[in-house]
Amino acid sequence: MDTVIKSNIKTIYNQDYKSLKELFIDYRATQRCLPAFNVNDNYDLKAVVEASDDMDTHVMVMTYPPVAELNTTEVFRSLVDGFKKRSKNKIFLHLDHSTSVDLCKRAIDSGYDSVMIDGSQVSLEKNIKMTQEVVNYAASAGVVVEAEIGKIMGRDVVVKSDNDFLADVGEVKQLFEATDVDLVAVGIGTAHGFTPTEPKIHFDRLQEIAEAIPAPLVLHGGTGIPDTDIQKSICMGMSKINIGTIVHNTYMKYAFEEMKKAGNDAYPPYVMKEVLPKIKNVVKDRLKAVNYK
Ligand code: 13P
């Protein structure tokens, strides 16, 4: 099974593109999906790059705002550039879930390939305005912009009723047509983080959205979604999937274990030498789920 997956990925997922925009347009047309992992530093970044090399597939790495703020967008750009030189495949850098237009602009100025402006918690009118401002700023640099409609549940996202998280098709269309944004993340029932029960994905809503707009769609909450639902979503227009919690949870859990073992002698490179393969394993597991064809 492993061999079949790997050989297919080789022909399908390491193809060259002129730009990330072009890659996403092609992925939506051919029902493929770019796996995107939230990373925190050079160590989990290295694990993602090595996993992508082993599986021969392009990947995206994403910094949440606290990671971008702590490391600075400039330093993270340089870090990814360092790894890119040693990788056979493309490693794209994205700013994830920024509610700040200013942070998006900083990431664009630092050379990020892609940014997300998350206006899902504000009114549609404000969401459109923020998204438009980032799209305009990103245009000359050719940077991809992702917007969000509906809500990805979990963490501090407040959902007022059962259907409050679901993206409204009319609103998706309105946001897309007003902004011409490249990627649209849509609330269809997935949640960030580990979920006590399997998330119930509203595939009917996904289908309506995919029929309403041609933009590549983004599936958030990749840690808790069963492989078969990931694969079904890809066939229905999801061209990017975000995976985060399983990466940082594995990182923290095994780092803690190693530090307990070493006690006062804990030394970061020795600890991380043990932790890195564990992160790489979970990344490879998610890559297999995404690149199933
Ligand atoms: P998980 O943390 O559930 O994998 O979701 C990540 C995500 O969607 C980041 O935008």
Side-chain angles (χ1 to χ4, degrees), residues 53-72:
D53 270 347
D54 284 2
M55 306 279 289
D56 223 349
T57 180
H58 303 319
V59 282
M60 179 174 265
V61 290
M62 310 188 288
T63 56
Y64 272 128
V67 176
E69 298 281 7
L70 186 65
N71 293 280
T72 75

Side-chain angles (χ1 to χ4, degrees), residues 97 125 136 148-149 176 189 193 214 239 253 256 260 286-287:
H97 282 291
E125 196 187 11
N136 290 346
E148 178 171 324
I149 282 271
F176 177 70
S239 311
K253 194 168 77 188
F256 184 59
K260 264 199 307 194
R286 294 298 76 206
L287 286 175

Side-chain angles (χ1 to χ4, degrees), residues 52-118:
S52 84
D53 270 347
D54 284 2
M55 306 279 289
D56 223 349
T57 180
H58 303 319
V59 282
M60 179 174 265
V61 290
M62 310 188 288
T63 56
Y64 272 128
V67 176
E69 298 281 7
L70 186 65
N71 293 280
T72 75
T73 49
E74 290 84 0
V75 168
F76 225 95
R77 178 67 267 177
S78 307
L79 206 51
V80 173
D81 284 343
F83 280 102
K84 265 175 74 175
K85 286 191 198 123
R86 303 161 40 150
S87 170
K88 333 181 248 197
N89 300 300
K90 298 220 184 291
I91 316 288
F92 299 103
L93 176 60
H94 173 84
L95 173 70
D96 199 23
H97 282 291
S98 174
T99 51
S100 152
V101 168
D102 280 351
L103 182 58
C104 287
K105 290 182 178 174
R106 250 186 287 152
I108 293 165
D109 290 344
S110 304
Y112 272 48
D113 302 293
S114 170
V115 296
M116 176 186 194
I117 178 70
D118 180 354

Side-chain angles (χ1 to χ4, degrees), residues 223-238:
T223 293
I225 308 172
D227 294 8
T228 46
D229 282 353
I230 290 179
Q231 291 152 13
K232 189 170 171 186
S233 307
I234 295 172
C235 294
M236 295 176 72
M238 289 295 189

Side-chain angles (χ1 to χ4, degrees), residues 247-273:
V247 174
H248 63 247
N249 177 268
T250 304
Y251 186 158
M252 292 291 106
K253 194 168 77 188
Y254 286 102
F256 184 59
E257 291 288 312
E258 289 304 318
M259 285 190 280
K260 264 199 307 194
K261 273 193 237 162
N264 281 341
D265 293 329
Y267 179 49
Y270 295 167
V271 167
M272 291 315 300
K273 206 160 171 239

